[in-house]
Amino acid sequence: MTLSCLLIVSVASAVSYPKVDPESVFPEIKIYDKLGRPYRSAREDWEGARKRIEQDPLWAQWLNQERATVDAWMKRHRDRVTWIAGWSNNFVSPKDGSKLTWIEAIPGEEVDHFSSPSDPHVEITDKLMAAWVRTWREHHAEMMERAARLYRLTNEEKYAEWAADQLDFYANHYLEWEPQRQGARLFWQSLTEGVNLITYAQTVRLLGEYAGPSRRKIWHDDFFVPEVAVLNENFPKILNITCWLRGAAAQVALVFDDDAMWQEAINGPFGVRQQVSEGITSDYLWFEQSLGYNSYVVTALTSLFETAGLFGRADELALEMATVENLMLASTYLRFPTGQLPTPSDTKGQLFAPDREFIGSHYRVFPTTIGLADVQKERNWDTLLDPPSPLTNSQAELPEVTSRNFETSRMAVLKKGPWQVFFHYGQPPIKSHLQAEVLNYSAFYGDVDITHDPGTVGYGSPLHKYYYTQGLNHNVPLVNGEGQQQPPKGRKPDPFTETRAGELIDFSINPPTINAAHPVYRTDAAAERELRIEGESLIDVTQIEVQSSKPQKLGLALHVQGSVRLPDSFLPDPDFSNDRPPAFSYWKNVSTAEYENEASFDVDFKTITMRITFSVASSAGPSTFRVWHGSSPDMPPGRREAFYLETAGTSATFTTRFAPVGDIATTESDQ
């Protein structure tokens, strides 16, 4: 086996990811104005909103419901200095990592337990209570903004006074909360502090002159300036979090007409311009790779673009707006036939594209055929104040997904006939959100999910740390049970930064083939994988080589979304996890059998049966290998079936062939 060496230039050292004419990218989805711009300045038409309420019974009904919701919250809820906010990722079931159901009833006072759909009775702990407070406080901020909107629409001062009273409370008591992570006080970390500071700033903007200059000055001096100082002290790097922090500071600057604050947030080191230039790849994906962060960054920066438009400053951010719109749309070109998206890095939950609701929610800045088609009948503050333009076409056509190499993002799509494969062949030079998943792949056969990456669960769950981030959770090669070498925890530098991008050896549309290598897969191991589509078959050839004079345990994991027809030769193995990394303890009902050279299994999926054939060649002599089959965690609380192959040696080649053998009905009748 030959694995070529590679000198990799760190992406971190690049000035930016080149982006050529971003306004012209993805034109089939965008709506352009008369000047050829696919973006617009948001507006607020308050007089038109009042007329719509008067003339349209459905809008009047909406307003009544909005009043009732805000009135109920105002009557019942007040914040408390004694409430310390925690981490939202801790709000998970200790049993299975599933997200707990948040309700506004106060834990310990109005309810005596938490619950999730799969875990009906969860004890209230300090950690869970703190996580509950975090969400409560965010809802409270949202209600402040909604109350301010009601005041602006109806001129009813009770809404203005309640919202202003909450701002008084935070300005008067802000310093009484002890600093938590990264200096945040109202929330557990600076990210959540920044996200919610936008809402507080919008509340001030909407109140206008109601509070008077002296009251506004107290808010500015005692609350907003200290908050922005916290944001500016954190995350001086290219990062999704920093987009929120700088975007929040920029909006505070607009609300309080602070030009120095604006310049620092937009043009300063790691400001908005630099985030967009160096954080969005030339493929228009966020460089941290979790596709959920595409949407997260879009939301952060579109919030800024909306506010900039309201203050007549959107033109200053034209390039950034064009680029961020592409970030919003790019994942559409990664979707599987069902719309399901791959889940590289630490994405939580299953994502789909196009996310019509999400794209539609940004129509005020980014009008698209997909978004406007969905938002026409929505009734919310956005559509009341800035009604969406009617669509000229009744149906928005989605672009076709084809084989494509997202080279600067280190991902690729292979597509031919019924097969579509997503290959995650490299990673950025940044530690955040990495999993031991380089060389992982997901595959569909038509609309049948053959194998996918389940992403992860809340970061506070042990399942995140010990299973979902580990190699065994992915379709990757393993050395002594471990996948790709992970960076050290904490603030220690990552010694593998320069090698994480890997080497793309070959990418071909016809024949559909991709081959990538990682000469430093682990400190003492190299790995290479080739995926190709041949007729009706998908073929995976994975090679692994260790720098050792003694044979090592060389393995391969494969997870399937179907039901394996397991031979009678498989016997239970209660010792499967013994002397192996902790991830192995999360598999259940494990059984095993030994093979020579080749092993073949029929797997029933929802409409087809797929024959999966493994063949193994090892440096240790005769190609004897063992196959384990078990139940592995999928997206919680689900589980799926999985294979783990292992042989001994200093190098091994694992070849996996997927070939359909007929639909389920035909196959069963032939037996």
Side-chain angles (χ1 to χ4, degrees), residues 42 202 205 251 254-255 302-312:
Q202 293 299 327
R205 179 185 68 80
Q251 290 182 70
L254 289 171
V255 168
T302 303
S303 172
L304 167 61
F305 300 151
E306 286 181 3
T307 305
L310 296 175
F311 281 90

Side-chain angles (χ1 to χ4, degrees), residues 78 144 151 157-172 200 203-205 207-225 255-256:
R78 298 282 300 186
M144 291 167 59
Y151 161 69
E157 291 195 359
K158 71 172 185 177
Y159 293 112
E161 188 51 40
W162 182 83
D165 186 50
Q166 309 314 301
L167 288 167
D168 290 342
F169 176 80
Y170 290 124
N172 292 336
Y200 298 133
T203 302
V204 175
R205 179 185 68 80
L207 290 175
E209 299 304 316
Y210 171 81
S214 60
R215 203 173 183 184
R216 281 173 59 98
K217 188 174 188 305
I218 291 173
W219 296 342
H220 174 270
D221 293 350
D222 295 347
F223 182 42
F224 285 94
V225 168
V255 168
F256 288 101

Side-chain angles (χ1 to χ4, degrees), residues 60 66 88 147 162-163 174 183 192 197 237 239 245 263-264 368 375 387 390 400 442 465 536 561 602 608 611 658:
E66 181 71 1
S88 60
W162 182 83
Y174 178 67
T192 325
L197 189 61
K237 59 181 69 174
L239 200 65
L245 305 190
Q263 292 299 330
E264 182 175 7
T368 62
V375 80
E400 181 184 1
S442 301
K465 180 178 180 180
E536 290 287 296
Q561 304 306 128
D602 284 353
I608 63 167
R611 183 159 295 154
F658 300 81

Side-chain angles (χ1 to χ4, degrees), residues 86 117 140 185-186 242 274 359 444:
H140 195 64
R185 293 176 186 267
L186 291 183
T242 317
Q274 190 177 359
I359 293 174
F444 268 63

Side-chain angles (χ1 to χ4, degrees), residues 358-420:
F358 176 78
I359 293 174
S361 70
H362 295 292
Y363 77 93
R364 297 178 68 195
V365 177
F366 302 130
T368 62
T369 55
I370 296 170
L372 285 182
D374 251 40
V375 80
Q376 296 293 327
K377 296 180 180 179
E378 291 287 329
R379 293 187 184 275
N380 54 42
W381 281 108
D382 285 346
T383 58
L384 177 65
L385 295 169
D386 194 355
S389 302
L391 260 183
T392 53
N393 322 349
S394 58
Q395 182 65 39
E397 291 190 13
L398 294 179
E400 181 184 1
V401 175
T402 60
S403 292
R404 184 186 297 230
N405 180 23
F406 297 80
E407 185 172 7
T408 59
S409 304
R410 314 310 286 170
M411 304 171 187
V413 171
L414 282 186
K415 187 169 181 6
K416 186 173 183 181
W419 280 109
Q420 183 174 322

Side-chain angles (χ1 to χ4, degrees), residues 639-657:
R639 298 186 72 85
R640 56 186 177 167
E641 296 189 39
F643 296 101
Y644 172 62
L645 284 63
E646 188 176 275
T647 189
T650 57
S651 68
T653 300
F654 297 90
T655 302
T656 307
R657 177 184 290 269

